[in-house]
Amino acid sequence: MVPVLTVQEAGKQLKSLWQEEGSLGFIPTMGALHEGHMSLIRRSVNENQFTAVSIFVNPTQFNEKHDFDHYPRNLETDLETMASFPIDLVFAPGSSEIYPEPDTRVFDFGGLDKTMEGLHRPGHFNGVAQVVSKLFDIIRPDRAYFGEKDFQQLAVIRALVRQLDIPVEIIACPIIREADGLAMSSRNKLLTAGQRTAATGVSKALFRARDLAGTLPVDKLQEKIIHLLNKHPLVEVEYFKIVDRENLQQVSDWSEAGAKIGCIAAQIGKVRLIDNINISS
Ligand code: PAF
């Protein structure tokens, strides 16, 4: 599989697909592909005649240089990982292809981008919106596939598509977990053996929260989970919040209507992990 490196070449190759009957599925990624990404690719291949994948570590969504510099990159391995799938286009542009000029657009997604990741990673969702809107413009997919591990990102992308009237269907795909519960993530590759063991505490804490839902007030449950997890010397919780699945606003009482989700971000050494779980009380 030969990746396409330029916007112009991607357009040339896609032109024939756009003209053919049948839908185009798209999986935007930052590479370091794992089984979570494969589940998105598999689904796209099953649901569409054509599938495109992008691999681009987007600088504008990183609020920390260290995180961007150390983000795992290995195009060769990624291409091998995807080799057995009938993928029609792998788009792996350099930064100057996506950003020939600085992208100065500023997005506002109401409350969706101002809580949780939005508070802890200033500018992150603006960068995600910039790159995803550009990628949608270049690829022009009928459907785009995103993992529910990045639950807030999914909500922001749905809002982006509504705001810009982009004719694409956003498909949410379930979290894929390792056998011990750890949510699959490209960042898991950065964990040392000790940190990897500690990281299982994150999903365990979420399962515990799900089991305890309704047995104590929401704020007390949040505190308890944070306290439990912080007991581990390698783990530092940034937030654990039980929020409404639609508007991502903090739930204050179990009696509130609407589906709920528990979202967590924790730092394990220098590696930042996020995860979430549906909560019903
Ligand atoms: O979820 C990711 O990997 C990235 O945020 C995305 C959607 C590919 C945009 O860079």
Side-chain angles (χ1 to χ4, degrees):
M1 195 178 299
V2 182
V4 163
L5 307 179
T6 67
V7 173
Q8 200 185 20
E9 187 54 34
K12 259 195 214 159
Q13 295 207 11
L14 288 166
K15 203 168 176 191
S16 55
L17 303 190
W18 292 328
Q19 283 161 358
E20 292 223 17
E21 278 284 307
S23 57
L24 171 61
F26 175 46
I27 302 97
T29 81
M30 297 207 298
L33 302 181
H34 50 71
E35 192 41 43
H37 295 112
M38 292 307 127
S39 71
L40 308 183
I41 294 176
R42 208 170 285 123
R43 181 136 176 216
S44 172
V45 166
N46 285 337
E47 294 180 353
N48 303 283
Q49 281 67 30
F50 308 110
T51 289
V53 175
S54 67
I55 297 181
F56 177 62
V57 183
N58 171 39
T60 70
Q61 72 187 75
F62 285 82
N63 55 316
E64 283 195 4
K65 192 176 172 324
H66 179 277
D67 193 19
F68 176 67
D69 290 344
H70 291 83
Y71 198 85
R73 294 164 170 90
N74 195 334
L75 184 58
E76 284 303 305
T77 313
D78 286 342
L79 295 174
E80 279 165 27
T81 310
M82 289 186 288
S84 61
F85 288 91
I87 296 170
D88 300 275
L89 177 86
V90 176
F91 180 48
S95 244
S96 58
E97 281 295 312
I98 299 294
Y99 300 110
E101 288 146 29
D103 191 338
T104 54
R105 290 176 299 164
V106 178
F107 294 89
D108 184 350
F109 300 110
L112 294 177
D113 55 342
K114 296 181 185 60
T115 175
M116 300 189 289
E117 294 299 282
L119 289 179
H120 290 266
R121 301 187 67 191
H124 169 64
F125 287 124
N126 205 63
V128 169
Q130 288 175 341
V131 76
V132 170
S133 61
K134 278 174 180 270
L135 290 170
F136 283 170
D137 217 34
I138 296 164
I139 306 290
R140 296 194 227 157
D142 298 291
R143 299 194 180 99
Y145 295 78
F146 294 88
E148 284 191 324
K149 185 178 76 66
D150 297 293
F151 191 80
Q152 194 175 2
Q153 168 172 282
L154 196 51
V156 163
I157 288 169
R158 286 190 196 285
L160 171 77
V161 162
R162 280 195 303 271
Q163 223 172 74
L164 300 185
D165 261 328
I166 306 175
V168 61
E169 187 185 352
I170 302 300
I171 314 277
C173 302
I175 298 175
I176 306 293
R177 297 185 180 279
E178 302 282 359
D180 62 8
L182 179 67
M184 292 205 185
S185 162
S186 303
R187 287 191 165 86
N188 294 351
K189 293 189 168 72
L190 302 172
L191 297 166
T192 63
Q195 290 170 342
R196 172 67 186 77
T197 308
T200 60
V202 175
S203 54
K204 287 203 179 95
L206 288 182
F207 301 146
R208 187 87 195 272
R210 180 190 56 194
D211 295 345
L212 290 176
T215 64
L216 64 170
V218 178
D219 56 343
K220 294 286 174 252
L221 177 58
Q222 290 178 168
E223 280 165 27
K224 186 182 175 91
I225 295 297
I226 293 172
H227 181 70
L228 269 177
L229 204 44
N230 275 342
K231 273 192 191 160
H232 197 294
L234 296 181
V235 183
E236 202 185 325
V237 179
E238 275 187 11
Y239 63 81
F240 170 60
K241 270 176 179 280
I242 296 171
V243 298
D244 181 286
R245 267 181 76 91
E246 287 300 313
N247 60 26
L248 304 186
Q249 297 311 297
Q250 171 74 59
V251 169
S252 47
D253 194 273
W254 296 116
S255 64
E256 281 172 32
K260 301 170 184 64
I261 184 165
C263 298
I264 195 163
Q267 203 68 49
I268 320 271
K270 283 202 178 313
V271 185
R272 189 172 183 280
L273 299 180
I274 60 171
D275 197 353
N276 63 72
I277 198 157
N278 285 327
I279 305 255
S280 51
S281 50

